[in-house]
Amino acid sequence: MATINKNYRKLAAGYLFPEIGRRTRNFQAENPKAKLLRLGIGNTTEALTPEIVAGLQRGVQKLSKISTYTGYGDEQGNTALREGLAKFYGERGVSLSPDDIFVSDGAKPDSSNIQSIFGDDNIVAIQDPAYPVYVDTNVIFGRSGDFDSGTGKYSNFVYMKCDEENGFFPSLPDKKVDLIYLCSPNNPTGAVATKDQLKMFVDYAIKHQAVIIFDAAYSEYISNHDLPGSIYEVDGAEKCAIEINSFSKFAGFTGVRLGWTIVPEQLTVENSNPGEVRTMWLRRQTTFFNGASNIVQEGGLAVLSETGLQESRGLIDYYMQNASIIRSGLQPIGLTVYGGDNAPYLWLRTPGGLSSWDFFDKLLRETWVIGTPGSGFGPAGEGFFRLSAFGHRDDIKAAVDNIVNKLKL
Ligand SMILES: *Cc1c(COP(=O)(O)O)cnc(C)c1O
């Protein structure tokens, strides 16, 4: 008799986006003339740029001729792409071997799968609020106890609170933990960790032989270059940190699919030899995954070209101007707005002490704008609300106009 993985039953219902969809559909049914403005989901909206389209086309062309045809690619990903990524890091002062870089189909799969190479009794620490993948995948793998709907927390996880008092970057866990998930620039709060803040975690991880899983999916949105775009800008991080990144938000690849993970050879955990963790990730990937599409990897190479980088920065500037339009529209009407300077997310304190969901309903009803309730990202997100800067300029402007003119504060 087959049985199921009962850990799936522990998952608090996949409530956030379905519930947003349900409330939105109800509202639209009752108000068919309302033109809804969606600033909810973190999904890119602007077209791929010419150099990158040419790269993808080159990928297709290569497959069309016997002399350049390739089937399965190099195990860890296209060697030229891994060398290009190593050079990309080199330019910001981080020295990596292409052998430490693993190309994948995105940061979400990697941030889900990485936990599978660690022991099932490892204690997991996550930022609260956080991108939900870190929590859910560790629940599925059995590292949590049950969900407590009163506190909104799973037992056995260590929730590292990120709030206004600590500038949305957590203090060190007050007990020994083994796997620490950090995301900077942060989804959902838009906060970016400083080198000193990351150094504090790197020192902790080295002392406790813990591993930091660093999600840098928004690194290219950092405009203040005193802030680290890679955890390896911090001394010692190569001994204790795995970094995950992607072309999704960097170059509009959310639907194209291409990412990478760095597992440095020097990284060690309790009882492991240097290189062993990296070899385990190779084993995991070559067993469960057969590589990113060779067409798409050609597109990734185009992103890293001089013109490709320039064009991608143009796309990022576009979204960051959206962020600036949202922020400069909302602050003067008395809303408290965080983030949006080095990340495409704005994190609002809900006005009048409203709960995240009550503010969702109010914003939808009065302004037709759809955002994301902060409580969907963890209990410390209650009383906050995320607006995304991914959108067409006209929609962003219309949303800000509606909020400024119609929201009753
Ligand atoms: C969007 C996002 C990702 C997803 O990346 P993909 O490469 O598209 O899978 C990963 N992490 C965070 C924090 C994100 O917001």
Side-chain angles (χ1 to χ4, degrees):
M1 184 174 65
T3 60
I4 58 164
N5 174 353
K6 290 205 181 62
N7 294 321
Y8 277 81
R9 287 192 178 148
K10 282 189 197 163
L11 288 169
Y15 175 71
L16 181 62
F17 288 103
E19 181 62 15
I20 290 174
R22 193 186 67 78
R23 293 188 191 208
T24 305
R25 280 190 303 278
N26 288 351
F27 179 81
Q28 187 81 84
E30 287 161 20
N31 304 273
K33 289 207 183 111
K35 186 182 178 301
L36 300 180
L37 296 159
R38 296 171 197 275
L39 270 58
I41 298 179
N43 196 359
T44 49
T45 56
E46 303 311 298
L48 292 174
T49 60
E51 185 72 13
I52 292 157
V53 171
L56 292 165
Q57 283 167 338
R58 201 156 47 241
V60 175
Q61 282 304 320
K62 283 188 172 177
L63 295 183
S64 73
K65 288 197 214 84
I66 197 162
S67 56
T68 48
Y69 174 83
T70 49
Y72 294 126
D74 307 329
E75 274 187 343
Q76 286 185 216
N78 182 316
T79 299
L81 180 58
R82 288 184 293 112
E83 286 167 354
L85 285 166
K87 180 163 164 280
F88 179 70
Y89 279 86
E91 279 158 13
R92 56 160 81 118
V94 171
S95 147
L96 289 173
S97 158
D99 294 343
D100 294 339
I101 302 173
F102 297 77
V103 175
S104 73
D105 57 350
K108 183 177 189 174
D110 284 359
S111 58
S112 304
N113 295 329
I114 195 73
Q115 47 77 31
S116 71
I117 63 172
F118 297 104
D120 55 9
D121 56 353
N122 281 205
I123 302 291
V124 174
I126 52 261
Q127 284 172 285
D128 176 20
Y131 184 56
V133 172
Y134 320 135
V135 165
D136 288 357
T137 54
N138 278 288
V139 170
I140 291 170
F141 215 70
R143 292 195 186 87
S144 76
D146 287 328
F147 184 71
D148 175 346
S149 53
T151 60
K153 296 181 180 179
Y154 292 91
S155 58
N156 296 356
F157 285 167
V158 173
Y159 289 78
M160 302 185 293
K161 192 169 183 181
C162 299
D163 60 10
E164 286 165 306
E165 266 158 52
N166 59 25
F168 302 102
F169 190 81
S171 354
L172 288 172
D174 49 16
K175 55 180 283 201
K176 185 184 175 315
V177 300
D178 306 305
L179 298 179
I180 303 167
Y181 287 83
L182 294 177
C183 174
S184 173
N186 192 268
N187 177 8
T189 67
V192 187
T194 63
K195 277 188 196 166
D196 287 345
Q197 286 173 324
L198 292 183
K199 176 83 173 115
M200 180 176 88
F201 272 85
V202 165
D203 290 345
Y204 173 96
I206 291 174
K207 181 165 162 217
H208 295 283
Q209 292 191 291
V211 171
I212 299 169
I213 297 163
F214 188 73
D215 185 340
Y218 297 94
S219 59
E220 297 318 298
Y221 287 75
I222 296 176
S223 57
N224 171 357
H225 291 287
D226 294 333
L227 295 167
S230 165
I231 197 168
Y232 304 116
E233 291 176 46
V234 173
D235 286 341
E238 67 288 351
K239 296 184 196 133
C240 64
I242 290 173
E243 182 164 302
I244 297 170
N245 206 328
S246 152
F247 290 101
S248 282
K249 316 296 166 36
F250 179 173
F253 273 37
T254 42
V256 180
R257 311 303 308 142
L258 191 65
W260 69 92
T261 283
I262 297 160
V263 186
E265 185 180 20
Q266 298 98 304
L267 182 127
T268 52
V269 297
E270 204 173 317
N271 303 327
S272 81
N273 300 314
E276 190 175 353
V277 177
R278 189 178 76 176
T279 304
M280 282 177 65
W281 183 241
L282 176 64
R283 187 76 166 89
R284 192 274 165 209
Q285 289 301 76
T286 51
T287 303
F288 285 74
F289 179 59
N290 244 342
S293 147
N294 37 18
I295 299 169
V296 168
Q297 293 190 85
E298 202 66 39
L301 270 169
V303 175
L304 297 177
S305 70
E306 201 176 319
T307 314
L309 285 174
Q310 228 165 28
E311 290 178 354
S312 300
R313 286 178 186 141
L315 269 182
I316 290 168
D317 284 348
Y318 179 90
Y319 294 127
M320 290 308 290
Q321 278 166 29
N322 286 348
S324 161
I325 290 168
I326 300 172
R327 174 193 261 285
S328 58
L330 269 45
Q331 261 170 346
I333 63 168
L335 288 169
T336 306
V337 185
Y338 300 98
D341 293 324
N342 295 285
Y345 295 115
L346 296 107
W347 188 240
L348 317 188
R349 171 149 277 301
T350 58
L354 288 177
S355 76
S356 298
W357 277 112
D358 286 348
F359 184 65
F360 174 91
D361 290 334
K362 178 180 168 69
L363 195 69
L364 177 58
R365 207 169 45 233
E366 295 176 8
T367 73
W368 304 345
V369 173
I370 301 159
T372 310
S375 54
F377 299 98
E382 182 56 273
F384 289 91
F385 198 76
R386 191 189 77 175
L387 290 179
S388 158
F390 292 116
H392 304 312
R393 181 65 45 82
D394 288 349
D395 293 337
I396 298 282
K397 283 185 171 164
V400 171
D401 280 351
N402 281 5
I403 296 174
V404 168
N405 296 316
K406 296 184 184 163
L407 184 67
K408 298 193 188 85
L409 289 168

